[in-house]
Amino acid sequence: MDLTALALRATAARPRVLLATVPGGAAVRLAAERLLRLRDWPQVPTPAQADLLLVAGPECPELQAALERLWRDLPAPRARVHARTADDVEAVLDAGRALLASPAVQHESAAPPAEAGGHQEGEHGPQEQHEGDDQAPGNGGEDGEHGEDGRADDAHGGPDGEHAPHDAGQDKEEEHGDGGQADDGRDADGHGDNGGHSGHDGGHDGHGGGQTEVPGGLPMAGQDADRDGLTLDQLHVPLGPFLADWPAGLTVRLVLQGDVVQRVGVDEPATPAAGGAAEPFWVQPWLRAASGEPVPVGEAVRRRVAARLDSLGRLLEVVGWPAEAVRARRLRDDLLSGAPRAAVAHRLERFTHRVGRSRTLAWLTRGIGVVTAQQAREAGVGGPAARAGGDVTARYRQWLTDVRCDLLRLEDSAPLDVAVEESPRGLWSAGDPPSAALIALLPRSLEGAELAAARLVVASLDPDLDELAARSVVEVARG
């Protein structure tokens, strides 16, 4: 009996998937999350837990180095595939399972680079398959049985008869270290290269002390004066660009003293390769209406509600309430597939009532990342973040309020006016997209916060870097 082949087939039967989304890949990510849930394939947050690395979205040369670091951190047996469009996802997942089950491919993947020959690890598209391997059909798990992380829907709940959500950093710290950095010294996207930070607010240069690299790439803390004038250890920690439940392509660099964020720098957002950028998914109705195409309000409202539910799913996952995160994503997928209001209204009401009235969730997020309405207006931020005028609790409750109001308008046939109807993150302008202001607001929102709260702040603002691609297209057209 070939025990190696048997073990590989067992791994390939239900592989654990690490989903790495690049800018422009929102539609691919949504298709992948839904199909993984249908197949009952667990989605994992770190490369150490994964068998299959699924890259979602167009080619993005600026992020290739980060993807390679993720790939190096996947333990054998492993496979890497790339879905560039939503239509590619099913074939790519089948190809990835075939690669995992192939002893020849796994032997080649585990070999040192000098022995690996001409085979390029991990760049397998939807039609590619290793010679001699069979593509097995998918595991037809029922949509209602398991969550997107492979656990049963009721494995972790909240108040009202279920377990309460834990502290925002508790689950993530167990896997990433202090809320964003792995215990073995890897940085927040699961890799170990803490590269040069020169030129960023959170970088080494010009801040005194800095930090020293030691063999193995582990950073040592430098020293600098804190806000009280005391000299304390200082550590530079990058978050992103492939952190789980994190805006695709966003890299935030923190300067920490103890567990408090002292300074924040945000890297220039990565952009897809020329010709590879996809239309920003969440604002498609607004882009079409702006170009003169007649778009009904109901279509735009449906997309906006789905975007709110997507943001709520990320926040609930980060805070440690995966059962409700799964429910948010199922509702999101049903709306995107065109489910009528009557089919989702009762479930949406239950979801918004349950999350909105959770005292534990409010307690965990209260007082974190406060942005007043005036501060939001001064920063050019509109939409729910400005209307909420408060902390993380105020922002997710504003999302819930918006969802309840929009539920009544899902079938509105009036023509969409982009100057009146908000896109998911504020009034739409291709030249100045709402997410650009949200990204600019991040340093102010994160400074002074504890590291464990940093991911909650980002999740509650949830900028969409895909919107910046629309601005780039407008600038190129003008230039």
Side-chain angles (χ1 to χ4, degrees):
M1 179 183 294
D2 188 344
L3 295 180
T4 298
L6 183 63
L8 290 177
R9 284 197 297 273
T11 298
R14 189 170 177 262
R16 297 167 297 177
V17 181
L18 176 63
L19 183 57
T21 307
V22 300
V28 187
R29 170 179 65 85
L30 294 170
E33 288 180 351
R34 183 175 186 277
L35 192 54
L36 290 174
R37 190 174 68 244
L38 288 170
R39 291 188 175 197
D40 192 24
W41 289 12
Q43 189 176 327
V44 296
T46 65
Q49 299 169 287
D51 307 309
L52 178 63
L53 173 60
L54 172 58
V55 183
E59 297 289 345
C60 191
E62 298 172 54
L63 297 179
Q64 284 305 308
L67 285 172
E68 290 302 322
R69 290 193 292 266
L70 280 181
W71 171 242
R72 287 199 304 266
D73 284 347
L74 259 71
R78 61 180 184 169
R80 173 180 169 183
V81 291
H82 191 161
R84 292 166 178 80
T85 69
D87 293 337
D88 293 343
V89 172
E90 186 166 11
V92 158
L93 289 178
D94 288 339
R97 182 164 57 180
L99 293 168
L100 278 173
S102 169
V105 171
Q106 293 309 313
H107 176 75
E108 190 173 2
S109 177
E115 301 176 20
H119 177 65
Q120 177 67 33
E121 289 184 336
E123 289 301 327
H124 298 280
Q127 304 301 324
E128 295 181 58
Q129 184 179 358
H130 198 273
E131 185 178 351
D133 293 335
D134 294 326
Q135 289 187 356
N139 285 347
E142 291 295 328
D143 192 6
E145 294 299 323
H146 293 281
E148 291 173 14
D149 58 353
R151 288 172 286 188
D153 211 23
D154 292 326
H156 195 329
D160 303 331
E162 297 185 20
H163 297 296
H166 347 279
D167 179 29
Q170 182 177 340
D171 284 348
K172 302 300 178 182
E173 285 179 326
E174 291 173 0
E175 293 170 358
H176 295 291
D178 287 335
Q181 189 172 29
D183 292 337
D184 59 358
R186 291 177 300 194
D187 61 29
D189 57 15
H191 50 73
D193 184 359
N194 282 293
H197 303 167
S198 171
H200 303 290
D201 291 343
H204 299 276
D205 297 342
H207 295 310
Q211 72 184 29
T212 305
E213 296 293 334
V214 298
L218 301 178
M220 292 182 63
Q223 290 187 332
D224 199 2
D226 75 346
R227 297 180 178 186
D228 297 324
L230 302 175
T231 299
L232 299 176
D233 285 345
Q234 186 181 68
L235 186 65
H236 298 255
V237 176
L239 299 180
F242 294 118
L243 210 55
D245 300 297
W246 181 262
L250 178 67
T251 301
V252 176
R253 301 188 182 273
L254 309 179
V255 179
L256 302 177
Q257 286 180 316
D259 63 348
V260 177
V261 177
Q262 296 291 330
R263 283 187 292 274
V264 181
V266 180
D267 283 7
E268 187 68 24
T271 56
E279 188 177 66
F281 179 79
W282 295 117
V283 294
Q284 279 180 5
W286 286 265
L287 290 173
R288 288 162 45 210
S291 68
E293 180 181 342
V295 177
V297 167
E299 180 182 343
V301 168
R302 180 178 294 270
R303 187 65 60 95
R304 186 168 64 203
V305 174
R308 300 269 196 269
L309 291 168
D310 186 59
S311 297
L312 283 162
R314 291 183 189 220
L315 178 67
L316 292 168
E317 196 72 61
V318 170
V319 82
W321 202 355
E324 291 304 318
V326 169
R327 291 188 177 95
R329 288 163 175 162
R330 285 178 176 160
L331 286 163
R332 172 201 69 190
D333 292 344
D334 289 346
L335 286 166
L336 291 175
S337 65
R341 185 171 74 88
V344 297
H346 180 63
R347 292 161 55 210
L348 265 173
E349 287 289 348
R350 286 186 60 193
F351 170 79
T352 57
H353 179 83
R354 184 176 180 80
V355 174
R357 297 194 63 180
S358 170
R359 295 181 180 179
T360 306
L361 180 60
W363 176 75
L364 289 172
T365 56
R366 185 173 294 122
I368 296 174
V370 175
V371 178
T372 66
Q374 181 177 350
Q375 289 173 334
R377 286 193 298 270
E378 291 172 352
V381 172
R387 289 197 303 276
D391 53 12
V392 172
T393 307
R395 287 194 285 275
Y396 79 71
R397 284 179 170 169
Q398 184 64 55
W399 284 339
L400 295 169
T401 299
D402 291 348
V403 166
R404 285 192 292 267
C405 293
D406 283 343
L407 180 60
L408 304 175
R409 307 176 62 207
L410 291 180
E411 294 161 9
D412 190 339
S413 60
L416 173 64
D417 183 352
V418 297
V420 174
E421 202 69 49
E422 281 187 354
S423 71
R425 289 160 178 85
L427 285 175
W428 174 250
S429 168
D432 189 18
S435 287
L438 289 173
I439 292 171
L441 187 63
L442 286 176
R444 176 187 293 180
S445 304
L446 293 173
E447 286 179 1
E450 294 183 358
L451 177 59
R455 291 197 59 195
L456 277 175
V457 175
V458 175
S460 69
L461 293 171
D462 199 23
D464 179 13
L465 274 67
D466 291 7
E467 292 181 3
L468 306 187
R471 179 176 62 182
S472 300
V473 170
V474 171
E475 289 173 351
V476 169
R478 290 173 178 171

